[in-house]
């Protein structure tokens, strides 16, 4: 119930274009510790962040020398309200740059920030100019604009490490990047992203919602991920496979509309099947491109959702094990015969 409630909150935020979910420093530290070798002499841009309150900015400012950064930039969007009673733009976005020089402050006040001419939206020309100057983008972008946000990073060929909803995997644009080995999942997933700080006007849904020791209001949707194109150790680890297909075919149902078998859990992927296998989308958290090939997402040969006995399991990703040698028909028949003999023997004993 708690997860459903917080998922509902995220969906409401998406519909209302309200994206005020702020990342906790502990979650940033937990993920960023695995990428420290990527930042030496780099310009980091946090383009959805107010430098005075952003934990992303705080992390990079506090670790500026350890990471060997060249520059840190944070920019902030400010909504510009124009209506019948107020016809002038009243708010401007702003940004702050930190280079780690002696005497330079990493805690900006109103005199240190630079105002944009516009609202500071990540899509604005002013923000894009800062993006062009950067090497790596690290932030928690608006979930409601996630497709557009990632498309911009790809357009300008930027390295990135960003937070998104797990369902972003199902977006065709995002899956295409993962399939082409141009993006992949980070280290932490689900409960590995422990929660977000939300403003006072957000309702605290679910049993995992809380107020921390600093008075921050925290919601924990437990359905978020890190998406990146920075290399990490996890994507080079093989998934240990212990299940066998041949001789146990009845345990792996075939799809009605695709030549492939269904597996409900990543740990149940058989090590000896050389065809296509449908797995849950969470498989991507353990995906090693050297071990498996991504074939396609969700659809069968008829371009309809994959189905078994007329029913559609939750979204599946079709994969192929790169390391299984093609198995001859004779070997398959032999395995099936052995399975039949074993069953007959068991029935005799009964």
């Amino acid at each position: 119930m708690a997860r459903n409630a917080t998922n509902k909150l995220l969906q409401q935020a998406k519909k209302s274009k309200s994206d005020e979910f702020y990342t906790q420093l502990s979650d940033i530290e937990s993920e960023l510790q695995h990428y420290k070798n990527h930042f030496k002499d780099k310009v980091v841009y946090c383009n959805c962040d107010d430098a005075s309150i952003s934990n992303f900015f705080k992390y990079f400012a506090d670790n500026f020398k350890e990471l060997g950064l060249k520059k840190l930039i944070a920019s902030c969007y400010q909504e510009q309200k124009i209506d019948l009673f107020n016809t002038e733009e009243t708010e401007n976005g702003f940004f702050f740059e930190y280079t780690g020089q002696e005497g330079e402050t990493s805690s900006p006040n109103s005199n240190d920030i630079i105002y944009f001419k516009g609202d500071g939206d990540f899509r604005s020309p002013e923000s894009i100019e800062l993006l062009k100057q950067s090497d790596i983008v690290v932030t928690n972008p608006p979930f409601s604009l996630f497709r557009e946000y990632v498309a911009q990073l790809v357009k300008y060929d930027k390295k990135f490490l960003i937070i998104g909803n797990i369902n972003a995997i199902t977006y065709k644009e995002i899956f295409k990047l993962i399939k082409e080995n141009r993006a992949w999942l980070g280290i932490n997933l689900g409960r590995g992203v422990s929660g977000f700080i939300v403003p006072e006007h957000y309702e605290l849904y679910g049993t995992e919602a809380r107020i921390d020791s600093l008075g921050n209001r925290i919601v924990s949707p437990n359905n978020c991920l890190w998406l990146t194109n920075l290399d990490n150790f996890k994507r080079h680890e093989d998934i240990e496979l212990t299940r066998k297909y041949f001789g146990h075919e009845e345990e792996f149902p075939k799809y009605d509309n695709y030549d492939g078998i269904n597996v409900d859990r990543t740990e149940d992927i058989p090590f000896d099947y050389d065809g296509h296998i449908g797995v849950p989308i969470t498989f991507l958290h353990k995906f090693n491109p050297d071990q498996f090939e991504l074939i396609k997402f969700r659809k069968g040969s008829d371009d309809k959702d994959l189905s078994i006995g007329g029913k559609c399991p939750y979204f599946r990703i079709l994969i192929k094990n790169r390391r299984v040698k093609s198995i001859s028909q004779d070997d398959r028949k032999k395995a099936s015969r052995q399975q039949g003999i074993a069953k007959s023997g068991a029935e005799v004993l009964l």
Side-chain angles (χ1 to χ4, degrees):
M1 181 62 70
R3 178 167 179 169
N4 289 337
T6 45
N7 283 351
K8 179 181 178 183
L9 177 62
L10 289 177
Q11 289 301 316
Q12 289 174 343
K14 183 176 180 180
K15 290 178 181 179
S16 66
K17 304 300 182 185
S18 179
D19 290 296
E20 296 179 87
F21 290 82
Y22 303 103
T23 312
Q24 297 181 91
L25 182 59
S26 58
D27 286 334
I28 295 170
E29 292 172 335
S30 176
E31 186 70 22
L32 267 293
Q33 66 177 315
H34 302 290
Y35 304 88
K36 290 184 177 181
N37 62 312
H38 291 282
F39 291 98
K40 185 174 175 56
D41 296 324
K42 297 296 191 294
V43 176
V44 171
Y45 187 23
C46 306
N47 60 349
C48 300
D49 299 81
D50 178 343
S52 64
I53 60 173
S54 166
N55 282 322
F56 282 102
F57 180 86
K58 176 175 174 55
Y59 173 83
F60 284 111
D62 289 350
N63 295 278
F64 194 93
K65 290 185 178 180
E66 179 187 348
L67 295 171
L69 294 180
K70 181 179 180 180
K71 183 191 287 188
L72 171 61
I73 309 172
S75 66
C76 181
Y77 165 81
Q78 291 289 311
E79 183 178 4
Q80 297 185 320
K81 297 180 181 179
I82 302 177
D83 55 33
L84 292 175
F85 305 101
N86 180 18
T87 57
E88 296 184 2
E89 296 180 350
T90 58
E91 298 286 349
N92 291 84
F94 53 87
F95 69 96
F96 177 71
E97 296 182 334
Y98 179 65
T99 59
Q101 298 297 314
E102 186 175 350
E104 185 180 8
T105 179
S106 62
S107 301
N109 57 41
S110 58
N111 296 321
D112 300 314
I113 62 176
I114 303 170
Y115 283 93
F116 289 120
K117 293 179 180 178
D119 61 10
D121 186 291
F122 71 87
R123 298 162 293 186
S124 68
E126 293 174 292
S127 185
I128 290 174
E129 283 305 310
L130 293 177
L131 177 66
K132 290 177 181 178
Q133 300 173 26
S134 70
D135 299 300
I136 307 175
V137 176
V138 185
T139 192
N140 175 4
F143 284 8
S144 62
L145 299 171
F146 196 78
R147 288 183 178 91
E148 193 171 356
Y149 186 87
V150 173
Q152 184 186 86
L153 296 176
V154 172
K155 177 181 178 180
Y156 290 98
D157 194 25
K158 296 302 173 182
K159 295 293 185 181
F160 59 85
L161 177 63
I162 58 176
I163 293 179
N165 189 287
I166 287 176
N167 285 331
I169 297 171
T170 68
Y171 302 162
K172 63 181 181 180
E173 302 91 341
I174 305 301
F175 182 77
K176 183 174 186 291
L177 291 175
I178 297 173
K179 185 175 184 294
E180 294 173 353
N181 205 28
R182 298 167 66 193
W184 42 86
L185 272 60
I187 304 301
N188 292 299
L189 176 82
R191 281 184 166 80
V193 182
S194 65
F196 297 95
I197 302 168
V198 296
E200 288 288 336
H201 63 275
Y202 276 62
E203 184 177 348
L204 291 181
Y205 286 93
T207 57
E208 294 185 50
R210 62 194 185 278
I211 298 177
D212 68 14
S213 60
L214 299 176
N216 295 314
R217 297 161 60 82
I218 310 292
V219 295
S220 301
N222 301 325
N223 66 347
C224 293
L225 53 74
W226 291 85
L227 185 72
T228 188
N229 57 2
L230 298 175
D231 202 14
N232 61 60
F233 72 90
K234 197 174 190 69
R235 64 189 301 264
H236 299 291
E237 292 182 340
D238 281 358
I239 300 172
E240 184 178 358
L241 306 179
T242 60
R243 295 291 302 277
K244 190 173 183 179
Y245 174 75
F246 292 103
H248 305 273
E249 291 90 341
E250 77 286 352
E251 298 175 17
F252 301 93
K254 292 201 169 185
Y255 292 111
D256 304 327
N257 54 345
Y258 192 83
D259 184 14
I261 61 172
N262 180 71
V263 171
D264 288 327
R265 301 186 306 169
T266 297
E267 54 263 40
D268 291 335
I269 296 173
F271 62 80
D272 60 340
Y273 187 75
D274 63 342
H276 293 181
I277 306 168
V279 294
I281 60 174
T282 50
F283 161 83
L284 291 178
H285 190 224
K286 298 181 179 180
F287 170 53
N288 177 348
D290 297 323
Q291 184 181 18
F292 289 98
E293 176 187 359
L294 298 182
I295 305 299
K296 62 185 300 189
F297 172 65
R298 185 176 176 178
K299 301 295 183 181
S301 300
D302 55 2
D303 206 32
K304 295 181 180 179
D305 283 352
L306 294 164
S307 64
I308 303 170
K311 296 182 179 180
C312 300
Y314 191 66
F315 299 154
R316 290 289 184 263
I317 294 169
L318 290 162
I319 64 171
K320 180 179 174 64
N321 191 335
R322 294 182 185 275
R323 296 176 181 161
V324 177
K325 295 180 180 179
S326 183
I327 300 173
S328 70
Q329 289 294 326
D330 288 342
D331 287 341
R332 296 184 187 196
K333 290 178 181 178
K334 181 179 179 181
S336 296
R337 282 199 301 271
Q338 289 175 342
Q339 180 190 30
I341 293 170
K343 282 185 176 181
S344 298
E347 289 171 359
V348 169
L349 290 175
L350 290 173

